Amino acid sequence: MDWLQALFLALIQGLTEFLPISSSAHLILASKVLQWQDQGLAFDVAVHVGTLTAVLVYFRKEVVEMISAWFKAVLGGKPTANSRLAWAVIFGTIPVGLFGLFLEAFDIVDLYLRETYVIAITTIIFGLLLWYAERQYKGKSPEQFKDEYQLRWRDIFTIGGAQALALIPGTSRSGITMTAAALLGFSRTAAARYSFLLSIPAIVLPGGLKGIQLAQEGAKFDWDFLILGIVVSALSAFACIHLFLKWLEKIGFMPFVWYRLILGVVLFAIVFMS
C-alpha cells in the first residue's frame, strides 16, 4: 500500500461510514476498480478506530449522560430517558452480533457476498426501500414524528434486526437502520442519531475482535500508514456527521436514493462488461 491508497481509502471510510450509501461497498469497489492490493486487516482496524473516534467525540455529551444514567439505573436508581436510550443501544446491537457470528462461522461474506453483482443488487434494493421510507415525510414537519427517546422494544429489535442485514456488502449499516427507523415513525434526525449511536458498539465489537486477532498473530505494523488512516477517517467522518445532521431535514434522503440507484446501474454495467 502506498500513501495515495492509504489516504484515499481512509477518506472513503470516513465519508461513507455514516451516510446511507455503504462504506464496505465503496472500499471493496475502490480496490477492484483501481486494482489495488488488499489494504490489510491492520489498516481496516485503523480506519474504524478513526470513525469510532469521530462519533464518540461528536456525541460525547450524549454518551457520557447515557453511561452515567445507565449505571445509576442498574445500581437501583430511577430509570431516565438517557438510561433507556443506553439500553436501546445495547439491545439494538444484539441482532447484528448474533448474525455476525453466524456469517463468520461459515465465512459466508468472504465466500459469497463480496461479488460486484451482489453489491449492485443490495445497493439498488435498499436504495428503493429508503425511497419508500422517505415518502412518509412529504408535507409533514419533524415535530409530527417520534424522537430517539421514544424508542419501544419493538422499535429497538426491528431496527437492530435491520442493522444485521448491513453485514451484507452494499446494504449500508446507517442506511438500513435509518430506513427502519423512518418506517417506524421516527423523524429523519432521530433516525440518524439513533443509527450513529448504534454504530459505536457495531464498530467496537468487530474492531476489537480484529485487534485481538492481530495481536495473536504477532503482526508488525507500518505505523505511518495506520496513523494517517486514523486521522483522515476521523476528521472526514466528524465533518460528515456534522453536515449530515445539519442538512438532513432540509434535503431528506432522496439525494442518497438517487446516488444508490445510479451507483447500482454503474455496478451492473461493470459486471456485464467484465
Side-chain angles (χ1 to χ4, degrees), residues 90-249:
I90 293 170
F91 283 105
T93 304
I94 293 175
V96 71
L98 295 176
F99 192 47
L101 290 174
F102 169 76
L103 295 179
E104 184 70 22
F106 296 97
D107 204 17
I108 293 174
V109 173
D110 287 334
L111 289 177
Y112 307 109
L113 301 180
R114 288 185 177 271
E115 297 296 330
T116 305
Y117 74 90
V118 173
I119 298 173
I121 292 170
T122 53
T123 296
I124 291 175
I125 288 176
F126 291 107
L128 291 173
L129 191 59
L130 182 60
W131 165 77
Y132 180 76
E134 171 65 19
R135 292 180 61 192
Q136 71 167 328
Y137 295 114
K138 188 175 182 180
K140 298 178 182 178
S141 65
E143 292 74 21
Q144 294 177 264
F145 297 91
K146 296 183 288 185
D147 64 30
E148 65 270 28
Y149 293 100
Q150 295 174 288
L151 286 157
R152 298 181 178 181
W153 289 113
R154 182 195 68 169
D155 303 325
I156 294 167
F157 285 109
T158 300
I159 298 170
Q163 181 175 231
L165 295 176
L167 295 172
I168 303 172
T171 301
S172 171
R173 191 208 60 79
S174 58
I176 193 63
T177 50
M178 291 181 205
T179 298
L183 292 173
L184 290 168
F186 291 85
S187 70
R188 296 186 189 94
T189 300
R193 287 174 63 86
Y194 182 50
S195 172
F196 294 159
L197 291 172
L198 274 177
S199 74
I200 295 172
I203 295 173
V204 168
L205 293 177
L209 291 175
K210 290 178 180 179
I212 293 171
Q213 180 182 340
L214 287 170
Q216 291 175 339
E217 293 174 353
K220 295 182 179 180
F221 311 128
D222 190 328
W223 286 103
D224 290 340
F225 286 129
L226 299 188
I227 292 172
L228 174 68
I230 292 172
V231 172
V232 171
S233 60
L235 292 176
S236 56
F238 186 91
C240 184
I241 294 171
H242 175 71
L243 295 175
F244 183 73
L245 289 175
K246 180 179 179 180
W247 293 337
L248 180 56
E249 293 296 347

Side-chain angles (χ1 to χ4, degrees), residues 9-30 39 44 47-48 51 114 119 166 168-175 203 259-260 263:
L9 292 179
L11 193 60
I12 289 177
Q13 174 66 30
L15 293 177
T16 60
E17 175 68 29
F18 299 108
L19 294 180
I21 55 176
S22 180
S23 61
S24 61
H26 284 76
L27 289 172
I28 292 170
L29 290 171
Q39 62 269 22
D44 281 344
V47 294
H48 280 87
T51 53
R114 288 185 177 271
I119 298 173
I168 303 172
T171 301
S172 171
R173 191 208 60 79
S174 58
I203 295 173
Y259 178 85
R260 292 184 68 113
L263 178 60

